[in-house]
Amino acid sequence: MITGAPDDAESLAVGALEWLIRAARDSDDRVAWPNTRADDQVTPVLYNGTSGVLPALLDAWRYFADDRYADMALRGARSVADAVEDWEDSGLYTGVAGMAVALRGVHRVLGDTAAGAAADRALAVLRSRYDGAGWNDWFELIFGNAGIALAALECGDLDLAQLAVDRYARAAERTLAGVQWEIRAGTVPRLHHVSHGTLGIVHALAAVGRAVDRSDLVDLAVAGAADVVSRDEAGPDGFLVAYSDPQQQHERITRHSYGWCHGPAGDAQTFRLLTHVLPDDPAWPALADRCWHTVVNSGIPRRIRPGFWDNNGRCCGTAGVLALACDRQVERGDGRDFADILVADLAARATTDAEGVRWSNVEHRETPSDLAPATGWAMGNAGIIRELLRHARITANRDPRYAVPLPDHLPTA
């Protein structure tokens, strides 16, 4: 019987690591990961490629003290380093900025100077691509300038981080409650949440503003958050904001989501950050609490209807909610009951055999609906492994911190 005890999370992580290592593509002293084992091409990016696998390997090395994981991380870092100059995308989750974060993490955790030098090269590439306003016409966190700002900040380049956020004051659109931004220049729907919307931009503005002591950036972040708060449909106890206004691709996208990317599990992460940036304002922890109320009472992780909660991953699935559940345990003293439910659900949905453990997400509009198991951070084993190991550490009263914190997730105090 699955109980959610630390050894359950640990054993799941062990099996998931085994499958992840089997999915790697070896080449001499390098290793890299495709999105799925059937894919012909590997990718170096954070979202669904090698850079997203490296933090999971480093967490595994710290947890198990097994040098096999450190060796895989070093070899993976070499393949990411090879791609720095030629990878055209600059974004946090899709490009060179995220590669810099992963490489800097390998350097800091393992002391690998080659990875550190590669991270420096990645930052130099980003600086060389800056056109006076940004790197592309995306304003949001996944592809755009907000994510690049957070990556630069995580890597210690405060000047680059400030360059990345300078455009937001000029581009802000006034609303009745605050400000908002386009997801991308020329697009119509205004998205509100962390991955592609206003709260992801708020996160970057608040983090950079705090780091460089710029009240103008913090004030702009607060105005952006105010716009999103004004759209809440679940108060006073809960917090739930629509995917976008006007609704984008209404025939394929539900109006409300609950995960990190477009829902209260991610909204709460920005409100957590604002709690630290503006510690004298009780509104921010109250909003984080309201997000948590909505998440716990939403019905997840049950699949209530086709299309409801079909993802196990870190981006828009159960692992991303588990990340917040672990934050709540450390910072707010919440019990582990809901985290245990999430771990038990991951255990129930896992595929386990001689190859290891992995998860298939579901696209209910397609036939067959079960998607191929993925390797990476967003939808695959790497993102799930990090949260399982963190849950096991917290339950066993070990250090709750990740080996490599991702720049849009404030470390717990």
Side-chain angles (χ1 to χ4, degrees):
M1 177 174 176
I2 299 296
T3 64
D7 57 332
D8 293 321
E10 180 181 304
S11 62
L12 277 175
V14 169
L17 284 160
E18 183 63 30
W19 185 86
L20 190 63
I21 289 173
R22 288 174 180 267
R25 305 287 170 79
D26 283 286
S27 176
D28 297 326
D29 61 346
R30 286 158 171 74
V31 67
W33 278 266
N35 182 39
T36 72
R37 293 182 72 169
D39 290 342
D40 293 331
Q41 300 296 322
V42 298
T43 172
V45 301
L46 195 60
Y47 191 82
N48 60 357
T50 303
S51 287
V53 173
L54 300 184
L57 292 171
L58 295 174
D59 273 329
W61 177 69
R62 279 193 170 176
Y63 188 95
F64 297 108
D66 185 339
D67 286 341
R68 180 175 59 148
Y69 302 128
D71 177 67
M72 291 293 285
L74 290 171
R75 295 170 64 206
R78 293 184 193 119
S79 71
V80 173
D82 290 344
V84 162
E85 281 82 7
D86 295 328
W87 194 257
E88 294 182 359
D89 195 298
S90 296
L92 170 59
Y93 279 102
T94 57
V96 174
M99 294 155 66
V101 170
L103 291 164
R104 183 68 76 215
V106 172
H107 178 214
R108 289 171 175 166
V109 175
L110 299 178
D112 183 57
T113 56
D120 291 339
R121 294 199 336 263
L123 293 173
V125 167
L126 290 174
R127 190 175 291 278
S128 72
R129 293 178 180 177
Y130 180 72
D131 66 4
W135 287 264
N136 52 43
D137 58 358
W138 294 86
F139 289 91
E140 46 80 271
L141 186 145
I142 297 286
F143 302 99
N145 289 262
I148 293 171
L150 287 168
L153 187 63
E154 177 63 28
C155 291
D157 193 332
L158 300 185
D159 291 338
L160 188 60
Q162 289 187 85
L163 285 178
V165 296
D166 275 348
R167 70 189 299 186
Y168 289 97
R170 299 187 300 273
E173 301 172 344
R174 292 289 168 186
T175 67
L176 291 176
V179 298
Q180 64 181 5
W181 290 269
E182 296 174 288
I183 177 178
R184 185 182 191 183
T187 56
V188 173
R190 300 297 181 261
L191 276 64
H192 310 307
H193 300 280
V194 171
S195 64
H196 294 305
T198 296
L199 285 183
I201 296 169
V202 166
H203 206 102
L205 291 167
V208 176
R210 177 179 65 164
V212 300
D213 195 24
R214 282 184 54 181
S215 60
D216 61 316
L217 296 178
V218 174
D219 290 345
L220 190 59
V222 170
D227 175 77
V228 178
V229 171
S230 74
R231 301 174 188 272
D232 170 48
E233 301 174 17
D237 295 327
F239 189 83
L240 189 65
V241 172
Y243 177 92
S244 67
D245 290 297
Q247 178 68 13
Q248 186 181 43
Q249 298 177 13
H250 60 86
E251 75 282 1
R252 294 189 65 86
I253 297 176
T254 58
R255 182 153 177 80
H256 299 102
S257 301
Y258 296 92
W260 170 82
C261 52
H262 293 291
D267 301 345
Q269 296 296 353
T270 297
F271 296 144
R272 285 183 60 236
L273 173 64
L274 288 167
T275 298
H276 288 259
V277 175
L278 298 165
D280 296 328
D281 188 341
W284 307 116
L287 283 163
D289 288 344
R290 287 166 54 188
C291 289
W292 185 237
H293 176 87
T294 292
V295 168
V296 171
N297 291 283
S298 65
I300 65 172
R302 288 183 291 118
R303 289 178 176 167
I304 297 172
R305 61 181 184 273
F308 183 89
W309 216 249
D310 285 338
N311 194 303
N312 304 293
R314 178 60 174 80
C315 181
C316 52
T318 301
V321 180
L322 180 57
L324 179 59
C326 289
D327 295 334
R328 299 283 305 185
Q329 289 180 74
V330 174
E331 294 182 336
R332 307 291 284 175
D334 287 358
R336 53 178 275 196
D337 290 352
F338 195 67
D340 285 352
I341 290 171
L342 299 173
V343 171
D345 189 74
L346 287 170
R349 297 186 188 183
T351 296
T352 303
D353 56 24
E355 295 289 306
V357 174
R358 67 276 192 192
W359 289 264
S360 294
N361 299 316
V362 174
E363 176 47 74
H364 73 283
R365 305 176 190 89
E366 304 292 340
T367 302
S369 60
D370 285 349
L371 304 179
T375 62
W377 172 87
M379 308 294 185
N381 272 35
I384 297 172
I385 287 164
R386 291 182 82 234
E387 307 312 332
L388 289 172
L389 289 178
R390 187 172 182 230
H391 177 268
R393 292 195 304 272
I394 291 171
T395 306
N397 294 315
R398 293 174 60 173
D399 190 342
R401 291 173 294 180
Y402 300 103
V404 179
L406 295 189
D408 53 43
H409 187 180
L410 180 76
T412 49

